[in-house]
Amino acid sequence: MQKIVIINGPNLNLLGLRETQVYGTESFEAYFEKLKRVFPSVELVYLQSNVEGELINYLHAHGFDGSGIVINPGGYTHTSVALGDAIAGISSPVVEVHISNVHAREAFRQLSHVSAKCKGTISGMGLYGYQLAVQYLLQL
Amino acid sequence: MQKIVIINGPNLNLLGLRETQVYGTESFEAYFEKLKRVFPSVELVYLQSNVEGELINYLHAHGFDGSGIVINPGGYTHTSVALGDAIAGISSPVVEVHISNVHAREAFRQLSHVSAKCKGTISGMGLYGYQLAVQYLLQL
Amino acid sequence: MQKIVIINGPNLNLLGLRETQVYGTESFEAYFEKLKRVFPSVELVYLQSNVEGELINYLHAHGFDGSGIVINPGGYTHTSVALGDAIAGISSPVVEVHISNVHAREAFRQLSHVSAKCKGTISGMGLYGYQLAVQYLLQL
Amino acid sequence: MQKIVIINGPNLNLLGLRETQVYGTESFEAYFEKLKRVFPSVELVYLQSNVEGELINYLHAHGFDGSGIVINPGGYTHTSVALGDAIAGISSPVVEVHISNVHAREAFRQLSHVSAKCKGTISGMGLYGYQLAVQYLLQL
Amino acid sequence: MQKIVIINGPNLNLLGLRETQVYGTESFEAYFEKLKRVFPSVELVYLQSNVEGELINYLHAHGFDGSGIVINPGGYTHTSVALGDAIAGISSPVVEVHISNVHAREAFRQLSHVSAKCKGTISGMGLYGYQLAVQYLLQL
Amino acid sequence: MQKIVIINGPNLNLLGLRETQVYGTESFEAYFEKLKRVFPSVELVYLQSNVEGELINYLHAHGFDGSGIVINPGGYTHTSVALGDAIAGISSPVVEVHISNVHAREAFRQLSHVSAKCKGTISGMGLYGYQLAVQYLLQL
Amino acid sequence: MQKIVIINGPNLNLLGLRETQVYGTESFEAYFEKLKRVFPSVELVYLQSNVEGELINYLHAHGFDGSGIVINPGGYTHTSVALGDAIAGISSPVVEVHISNVHAREAFRQLSHVSAKCKGTISGMGLYGYQLAVQYLLQL
Amino acid sequence: MQKIVIINGPNLNLLGLRETQVYGTESFEAYFEKLKRVFPSVELVYLQSNVEGELINYLHAHGFDGSGIVINPGGYTHTSVALGDAIAGISSPVVEVHISNVHAREAFRQLSHVSAKCKGTISGMGLYGYQLAVQYLLQL
Amino acid sequence: MQKIVIINGPNLNLLGLRETQVYGTESFEAYFEKLKRVFPSVELVYLQSNVEGELINYLHAHGFDGSGIVINPGGYTHTSVALGDAIAGISSPVVEVHISNVHAREAFRQLSHVSAKCKGTISGMGLYGYQLAVQYLLQL
Amino acid sequence: MQKIVIINGPNLNLLGLRETQVYGTESFEAYFEKLKRVFPSVELVYLQSNVEGELINYLHAHGFDGSGIVINPGGYTHTSVALGDAIAGISSPVVEVHISNVHAREAFRQLSHVSAKCKGTISGMGLYGYQLAVQYLLQL
Amino acid sequence: MQKIVIINGPNLNLLGLRETQVYGTESFEAYFEKLKRVFPSVELVYLQSNVEGELINYLHAHGFDGSGIVINPGGYTHTSVALGDAIAGISSPVVEVHISNVHAREAFRQLSHVSAKCKGTISGMGLYGYQLAVQYLLQL
Amino acid sequence: MQKIVIINGPNLNLLGLRETQVYGTESFEAYFEKLKRVFPSVELVYLQSNVEGELINYLHAHGFDGSGIVINPGGYTHTSVALGDAIAGISSPVVEVHISNVHAREAFRQLSHVSAKCKGTISGMGLYGYQLAVQYLLQL
């Protein structure tokens, strides 16, 4: 597997801008540049949308071409049956990443419609979790 | 009623591509051609989107012109109050169709925000359910 | 499939008599005569009982002889595990019909012990739903 | 209203035989003789069955002829949607009676599918509750 | 038992004034005069308060002197553990009355902290329910 | 105790006919013949009905004559308050048997209205569970 | 509408005294003086009690004379069916105000027995919410 | 801390009168005399009311003068958000006492709106629990 | 604060067209013209979308420029964690408005993922609620 | 199968010592001697521990050597996922026994993490249940 | 009662080491020395274990010799049915102590399997709660 | 951080032995040898126990010496408040690993008492998850 697609969901475009005491001042775009240097021989693609249906479109677009997919569905994690169906419907392996530890947050974040349909989940490890997810997909 | 609009929700664009042992290898587009031959004198329109708000737009666009509407809201069935509100807000009669028997699936699929706002529901009868739904609307 | 058995559950013998503003003044027996004229080449059998165990007996009696079965379990839909077990235990295909849209009624009517064991369900389409159910069974 | 039908549900035929320290040693038949003497000018009819569907049959049989109906649905109170539907579907007024105070018993007896469909309910007043129920129906 | 105390809870002082299409235009005071004529040889006492603790005071005041007590706790029925404790703590027999059929109303009215502590309950029989409750207490 | 009555509930008359890969091809009648040979000196009676109220009638008929009773209430186990009341109301000891391990099945089968009223329960031990139940009753 | 009655419930008499970092050091009496200057031509009445039944008395007293009523039921919001019944029983329009944003507080504050019976609710806008509520009532 | 205020809630004025086999025949007034002899140098104040709002008034009256407060809220423990708010709003330390072990009683007594707002709770230790509570407040 | 952005969610574009007996025949666009005349010195911006992600985009676009924001999230109020996250993530103050009294509607409308993240909420005050919300933001 | 291991969980070492009016005065050790005489040709092993992890160790030790296992997990039945996992992870058949009828006890005893992983369950038959369990395992 | 056994559960061996801003820097061993000086004529025994089954062993060892027992079950309070059974099974009186106010902590700490089986509970009074518990046991 | 302690909970000692089609035939000991070769310069310690309290002991032993800790609590994940408390009470960073994707398993495995207290969680990535967890701890 030499192509990995990273898909970020709602509000992750604000990274580096909001709650900087929690998430730091680095934008995801800046982090993504670093990530490409960690995996120089891998084709890394980055997509982001705040629209639930667009995330589904991204999954469909890369779901049948042998890519590995890393997804952080943000708030849609807890409410989107359709996103879970999309992951179940494609053949590419999908890994879920959360920057913060969702288990230590509000009760409504303990329900996930996405996790059960992914290969695995990494949460609470900051942006470093994306690197671990890519690494996992590459060794499959 | 001589115009019928069929609206398919998220992941139904993958029909014929995913889980073919369950859903068969026929795409909805191919089925739609057959359906038009069953009802040669009816104007049949087909729309699909993975975006919840687009489905609402479709309902608004055809909700006041005397069309009959057949909708398969896919995964949004179980999570979309807004879609239910849209159906309640228009004057066209709406019938809900599900290809598989949702009652025989996961617990979270037993909740519907859409069914109560439709005239009726057909589930578990495969693609044939669309034909029955059209037939029902035509005899109203 | 050229024999179809229609089984009606509790209180459906009152059709045409009770809540006539909702259900109309036509009895099921009168409707059944019309239905036989729609499907002149099919052997149609009609059975009704208010007794849960009698409905199970009807299912057993016609469950192994290649009939198609249309059942409207009325109030037992929501409370009868035994009826669901009976449908699961026979080999004839069973379709569930509800005259009104049960999804638009009381909360306790949202639970069904029967739907998951049927091929499919039609609800909210009035007496016309029986015709669609027969049609579905015939094309199997 | 000069005809009153009393319908007793499951296990009430054991009255006077079981748990006599609670219910006393008087059978319902013996009590019914006394009750007829209290209302000498009223036609009192007594029916009992352990079969849920038979209770529905009794309600249908007396539900359209101007009778007043007193029903003690016993254990079916808490589980029978069909019985509640039957009461809602007939035109005779129905009063529910329970010999013991059901509110002081197990949690599952706090749910009733019947009470909401009756004119009113009397519970906890022993066999005397039947007399009060008849009296209420007569003054309507 | 020749003294009967009737205790009415919150908002029952509005009887005859509010929702007159439901409750009629008769005030409880007017009804109480009629009730006294039905039971000329019984000492009937009438108390009303909108204050939960006052109702408890009334129960204590008449709970140890051999009175029979009829209580309509209004909205406190569903929320007052303290009222239930007061009934359990006194030795006078207490009967609960509700004018309307609480079982046919909102879900939060299905919970009662009072009923289990009373001898019995009459609901849905209008003001006539008070007369039946008095009659029951007198024959104890 | 030398008379033992075995009462089977709904759908158990299909044994040997349905889901034979699970339940085998032996009917209960055939098994019952074998069982009589295991306990030659015991009067064994076998009753079956799909009607809930008939099962109650059977319990009443044998509930006061010193018989031991083995009951498999099938699907009524999970829904019948009336059946539980019948067992509580008779004086014969009752043992509950389930052929399959109900704990390993659907969530709605985890609720029993019957078990608490029986002396004990045997589940998951196939038809052999009936033999153990008879043996237990005989040594009481 | 030129008379507006403001009714404050339990603990609001402590305003300016408790949790001053949250609620400030201004008492409601001081704020009320300011409010009268904002609406010089309106008769403004202010009532407060910690007793649930007293709040009901206040509502009754001003519920039939054409006043507009602003109520902050404090902790009784979440527990008082009787207060909700009182609002439903009077004819004056009632608006509910909360100083803090109750939605951002404990789970038990998410349940309201009062809001559904009011014309509308304003929460989270501090003491300024009272001014907006008065303004709304005046423009009715 | 040399002033301690003991506040008893609903039905505790019946102590020694009701359920004497459980609570004994000693009234709280008699016990209070003994308690004063145990702490001769402490100013002990005793207040009781059956009115929820009066208990709040007592808490306000003694909540800002450096008293220690011992409260037994009786049945209001489980239903009064307003009482919990009052304890949270004052500055005096409050300790909750229950005579019986509430954990061994009905399910609805497992919910407390008061305990979380107190310094601590003592339950199940009879009247002796008041003495321990006073002792705790004195050593603060 | 001299710029206020009003964001309307799904189905609010149908205002004046649907359920006109409830909402009147005035479109939001027409109302918005009136609103601008009420606040002539304020820059008022109006945005509407049926797409959840578009509403998030609007919030991001105006969330860091010192605007005040009034949002009516329609049906997304009850289902959108992502929308709540967006409000929490921006620095502009946000006020939530609902035209109807959501507390008096279906149970699923009692849950809000948005309210806790806003400064405050106004519901049930019709279109006038928008004016009050703007007024509140201006006085901050 | 000629080796049977009986594993008793927490507090079963107190048998004969505690609640002797319920469980009798016989210790399990004494009963075990009798049991060995019932099955003279079977190797019977008896193990007991109050430590959850020790019970898991016992299951592992005898889970791969062809033994049949009878387990009474006592209070861990209702709380131990780990014990259920251990039973699922070994290859020896396991039968669960409870001396008392757990269905007739507290609500928290109705949940079992163990039963679904066993072949079957016997409850309520006293110490005799162990004998039946051994007998079942021997005939497998 | 002159022997008192204090049993501490999981993580209480860390006292003085963890979260010292909450629990202080004193270890339980140091506190225990002080406690012995408070009750010089009492035999005080101190036991601690992180193993649930060991705590049960301690209870058994001291449960029949006339000791009074003070237990702080730590996290097992909320999950251990077996511990509750052990307390119910011994004859020594047991008092439960919690250092912090568990009612003011997470929701899962509101459930206790232990409290109902103890004589009483003291929580939220810091280490001083142990002294009060001992004092209570001594005066029994 | 150059010392990493790996703690495995109940049933993980069976790895390679049970359900080999799922978990493979490799024991954890064998995998651990490989893992040491991946991190040759790190001191790796491996501990396993089936006893909940032993796992707590291990956490205490390594919780204050600057180690990083990787824990797979197995079945205790879902039931152990005490284990969660232990993780919260130590100062070493803890990462939780699950070999299988717990989100795709039984409902009772969706509750975790441990995850919220860890830095982060990795699940569903097989034994490779341990390597990622070690890598995460090393880069802290």
Side-chain angles (χ1 to χ4, degrees), chain A residues 100-111:
Chain A
S100 67
N101 182 349
V102 288
H103 304 287
R105 300 181 66 186
E106 300 97 324
F108 61 78
R109 289 194 214 268
Q110 306 315 305
L111 171 69

PDB file of all heavy atoms in Angstrom, chain A residues 100-111:
ATOM      1  N   SER A 100      -7.899  14.243  20.408  1.00  0.00           N
ATOM      2  CA  SER A 100      -8.078  14.207  21.860  1.00  0.00           C
ATOM      3  C   SER A 100      -8.608  12.836  22.282  1.00  0.00           C
ATOM      4  O   SER A 100      -9.008  12.033  21.446  1.00  0.00           O
ATOM      5  CB  SER A 100      -9.067  15.292  22.281  1.00  0.00           C
ATOM      6  OG  SER A 100     -10.357  14.989  21.778  1.00  0.00           O
ATOM      7  N   ASN A 101      -8.603  12.581  23.573  1.00  0.00           N
ATOM      8  CA  ASN A 101      -9.131  11.331  24.117  1.00  0.00           C
ATOM      9  C   ASN A 101     -10.638  11.483  24.263  1.00  0.00           C
ATOM     10  O   ASN A 101     -11.128  12.028  25.250  1.00  0.00           O
ATOM     11  CB  ASN A 101      -8.477  11.040  25.475  1.00  0.00           C
ATOM     12  CG  ASN A 101      -8.948   9.720  26.061  1.00  0.00           C
ATOM     13  OD1 ASN A 101      -9.905   9.123  25.569  1.00  0.00           O
ATOM     14  ND2 ASN A 101      -8.277   9.267  27.108  1.00  0.00           N
ATOM     15  N   VAL A 102     -11.400  10.990  23.290  1.00  0.00           N
ATOM     16  CA  VAL A 102     -12.851  11.183  23.306  1.00  0.00           C
ATOM     17  C   VAL A 102     -13.515  10.519  24.515  1.00  0.00           C
ATOM     18  O   VAL A 102     -14.570  10.928  24.965  1.00  0.00           O
ATOM     19  CB  VAL A 102     -13.523  10.672  22.010  1.00  0.00           C
ATOM     20  CG1 VAL A 102     -13.206  11.589  20.855  1.00  0.00           C
ATOM     21  CG2 VAL A 102     -13.128   9.248  21.702  1.00  0.00           C
ATOM     22  N   HIS A 103     -12.867   9.495  25.061  1.00  0.00           N
ATOM     23  CA  HIS A 103     -13.448   8.799  26.220  1.00  0.00           C
ATOM     24  C   HIS A 103     -13.468   9.685  27.454  1.00  0.00           C
ATOM     25  O   HIS A 103     -14.187   9.418  28.402  1.00  0.00           O
ATOM     26  CB  HIS A 103     -12.670   7.525  26.507  1.00  0.00           C
ATOM     27  CG  HIS A 103     -12.599   6.612  25.338  1.00  0.00           C
ATOM     28  ND1 HIS A 103     -13.683   5.895  24.905  1.00  0.00           N
ATOM     29  CD2 HIS A 103     -11.598   6.308  24.480  1.00  0.00           C
ATOM     30  CE1 HIS A 103     -13.329   5.181  23.845  1.00  0.00           C
ATOM     31  NE2 HIS A 103     -12.079   5.417  23.571  1.00  0.00           N
ATOM     32  N   ALA A 104     -12.629  10.723  27.468  1.00  0.00           N
ATOM     33  CA  ALA A 104     -12.567  11.597  28.634  1.00  0.00           C
ATOM     34  C   ALA A 104     -13.443  12.831  28.443  1.00  0.00           C
ATOM     35  O   ALA A 104     -13.349  13.771  29.219  1.00  0.00           O
ATOM     36  CB  ALA A 104     -11.114  12.017  28.887  1.00  0.00           C
ATOM     37  N   ARG A 105     -14.304  12.824  27.428  1.00  0.00           N
ATOM     38  CA  ARG A 105     -15.134  13.990  27.153  1.00  0.00           C
ATOM     39  C   ARG A 105     -16.628  13.719  27.411  1.00  0.00           C
ATOM     40  O   ARG A 105     -16.951  12.811  28.165  1.00  0.00           O
ATOM     41  CB  ARG A 105     -14.873  14.450  25.708  1.00  0.00           C
ATOM     42  CG  ARG A 105     -13.381  14.820  25.518  1.00  0.00           C
ATOM     43  CD  ARG A 105     -13.077  15.301  24.131  1.00  0.00           C
ATOM     44  NE  ARG A 105     -13.742  16.585  23.830  1.00  0.00           N
ATOM     45  CZ  ARG A 105     -13.735  17.171  22.649  1.00  0.00           C
ATOM     46  NH1 ARG A 105     -13.081  16.589  21.651  1.00  0.00           N
ATOM     47  NH2 ARG A 105     -14.348  18.307  22.438  1.00  0.00           N
ATOM     48  N   GLU A 106     -17.523  14.478  26.800  1.00  0.00           N
ATOM     49  CA  GLU A 106     -18.939  14.373  27.139  1.00  0.00           C
ATOM     50  C   GLU A 106     -19.511  12.986  26.821  1.00  0.00           C
ATOM     51  O   GLU A 106     -19.035  12.288  25.933  1.00  0.00           O
ATOM     52  CB  GLU A 106     -19.769  15.394  26.322  1.00  0.00           C
ATOM     53  CG  GLU A 106     -19.393  16.830  26.526  1.00  0.00           C
ATOM     54  CD  GLU A 106     -18.456  17.319  25.440  1.00  0.00           C
ATOM     55  OE1 GLU A 106     -17.604  16.523  24.974  1.00  0.00           O
ATOM     56  OE2 GLU A 106     -18.580  18.487  25.049  1.00  0.00           O
ATOM     57  N   ALA A 107     -20.610  12.653  27.502  1.00  0.00           N
ATOM     58  CA  ALA A 107     -21.252  11.351  27.343  1.00  0.00           C
ATOM     59  C   ALA A 107     -21.652  11.089  25.894  1.00  0.00           C
ATOM     60  O   ALA A 107     -21.517   9.975  25.391  1.00  0.00           O
ATOM     61  CB  ALA A 107     -22.480  11.254  28.249  1.00  0.00           C
ATOM     62  N   PHE A 108     -22.141  12.111  25.184  1.00  0.00           N
ATOM     63  CA  PHE A 108     -22.613  11.852  23.824  1.00  0.00           C
ATOM     64  C   PHE A 108     -21.458  11.508  22.891  1.00  0.00           C
ATOM     65  O   PHE A 108     -21.685  11.043  21.778  1.00  0.00           O
ATOM     66  CB  PHE A 108     -23.442  13.035  23.279  1.00  0.00           C
ATOM     67  CG  PHE A 108     -22.704  14.336  23.179  1.00  0.00           C
ATOM     68  CD1 PHE A 108     -21.829  14.583  22.136  1.00  0.00           C
ATOM     69  CD2 PHE A 108     -22.902  15.328  24.125  1.00  0.00           C
ATOM     70  CE1 PHE A 108     -21.161  15.797  22.030  1.00  0.00           C
ATOM     71  CE2 PHE A 108     -22.238  16.541  24.046  1.00  0.00           C
ATOM     72  CZ  PHE A 108     -21.365  16.774  22.986  1.00  0.00           C
ATOM     73  N   ARG A 109     -20.206  11.757  23.309  1.00  0.00           N
ATOM     74  CA  ARG A 109     -19.066  11.368  22.478  1.00  0.00           C
ATOM     75  C   ARG A 109     -18.644   9.922  22.721  1.00  0.00           C
ATOM     76  O   ARG A 109     -17.681   9.437  22.111  1.00  0.00           O
ATOM     77  CB  ARG A 109     -17.877  12.311  22.738  1.00  0.00           C
ATOM     78  CG  ARG A 109     -18.104  13.702  22.168  1.00  0.00           C
ATOM     79  CD  ARG A 109     -16.824  14.530  22.127  1.00  0.00           C
ATOM     80  NE  ARG A 109     -17.126  15.920  22.365  1.00  0.00           N
ATOM     81  CZ  ARG A 109     -17.393  16.827  21.415  1.00  0.00           C
ATOM     82  NH1 ARG A 109     -17.358  16.490  20.154  1.00  0.00           N
ATOM     83  NH2 ARG A 109     -17.689  18.074  21.724  1.00  0.00           N
ATOM     84  N   GLN A 110     -19.317   9.218  23.618  1.00  0.00           N
ATOM     85  CA  GLN A 110     -18.979   7.811  23.849  1.00  0.00           C
ATOM     86  C   GLN A 110     -19.647   6.896  22.818  1.00  0.00           C
ATOM     87  O   GLN A 110     -19.297   5.733  22.695  1.00  0.00           O
ATOM     88  CB  GLN A 110     -19.404   7.387  25.266  1.00  0.00           C
ATOM     89  CG  GLN A 110     -18.844   8.270  26.358  1.00  0.00           C
ATOM     90  CD  GLN A 110     -17.381   8.597  26.204  1.00  0.00           C
ATOM     91  OE1 GLN A 110     -16.562   7.706  26.099  1.00  0.00           O
ATOM     92  NE2 GLN A 110     -17.042   9.880  26.128  1.00  0.00           N
ATOM     93  N   LEU A 111     -20.637   7.416  22.090  1.00  0.00           N
ATOM     94  CA  LEU A 111     -21.296   6.633  21.037  1.00  0.00           C
ATOM     95  C   LEU A 111     -20.601   6.909  19.712  1.00  0.00           C
ATOM     96  O   LEU A 111     -20.410   8.063  19.333  1.00  0.00           O
ATOM     97  CB  LEU A 111     -22.766   7.029  20.934  1.00  0.00           C
ATOM     98  CG  LEU A 111     -23.534   6.441  19.739  1.00  0.00           C
ATOM     99  CD1 LEU A 111     -23.733   4.949  19.894  1.00  0.00           C
ATOM    100  CD2 LEU A 111     -24.867   7.135  19.569  1.00  0.00           C
TER     101      LEU A 111
END
